[in-house]
């Protein structure tokens, strides 16, 4: 059986914790949805990292690919581009009600790869001898 790399554990668990903390400001449904959504998106990012650049790549490459391959990050950027008139103040009203959601979603994906890299570093440096 193949061992799951420590980066994946840290990345997915970091995304789950980020979603749980973010949802805690709203209600139980938000906790579950945000946690599951960020964790699922982190799994997709980790699968892309497995394909390229591999889990033993340098930290900056792994972080960059984990962020760019995350579907929630991509959706957040696309939503931000679509709602750019609301964000710049050119358009106002009810159509701009959820204009900031894209930025928040994209920003929520940033900490979890860092957690994965910290877990990878810690595991490589301090893991107990077998």
């Amino acid at each position: 059986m193949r061992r799951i790399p420590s980066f994946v554990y840290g990345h997915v668990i970091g995304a789950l914790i980020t979603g749980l903390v973010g949802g805690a400001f709203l209600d139980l449904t938000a906790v579950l949805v945000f946690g599951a959504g960020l964790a699922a998106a982190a799994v997709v990012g980790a699968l892309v990292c497995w394909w390229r650049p591999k889990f033993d790549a340098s930290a900056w490459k792994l972080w960059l690919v984990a962020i760019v391959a995350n579907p929630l990050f991509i959706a957040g950027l696309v939503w931000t581009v679509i709602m750019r008139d609301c964000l710049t103040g050119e358009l106002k009203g009810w159509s701009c009600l959820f204009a900031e959601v894209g930025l928040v979603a994209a920003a929520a994906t940033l900490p979890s790869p860092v957690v994965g890299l910290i877990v990878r570093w810690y595991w490589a440096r301090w893991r107990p001898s077998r």
Side-chain angles (χ1 to χ4, degrees), residues 102-123:
L103 291 174
V104 172
T109 63
L110 298 177
S112 61
V114 175
V115 174
L117 290 171
I118 291 170
V119 169
R120 181 181 82 156
W121 171 81
Y122 179 81
W123 189 254

Side-chain angles (χ1 to χ4, degrees), residues 36-56:
L38 281 172
V43 168
V44 172
L47 286 172
V48 173
C49 288
W50 180 27
W51 172 63
R52 191 153 320 287
K54 306 284 187 208
F55 293 120
D56 57 349

Side-chain angles (χ1 to χ4, degrees), residues 32-114:
L32 298 174
V33 170
F34 290 177
L38 281 172
V43 168
V44 172
L47 286 172
V48 173
C49 288
W50 180 27
W51 172 63
R52 191 153 320 287
K54 306 284 187 208
F55 293 120
D56 57 349
S58 62
W60 72 270
K61 287 180 186 176
L62 203 54
W63 181 82
L64 187 63
V65 170
I67 292 295
V68 173
N70 193 319
L72 191 58
F73 182 78
I74 295 167
L77 289 182
V78 168
W79 184 255
T80 301
V81 169
I82 290 171
M83 302 300 285
R84 68 185 173 276
D85 292 338
C86 294
L87 295 173
T88 59
E90 294 176 22
L91 186 63
K92 296 182 191 288
W94 287 106
S95 60
C96 294
L97 187 61
F98 296 111
E100 295 86 12
V101 170
L103 291 174
V104 172
T109 63
L110 298 177
S112 61
V114 175

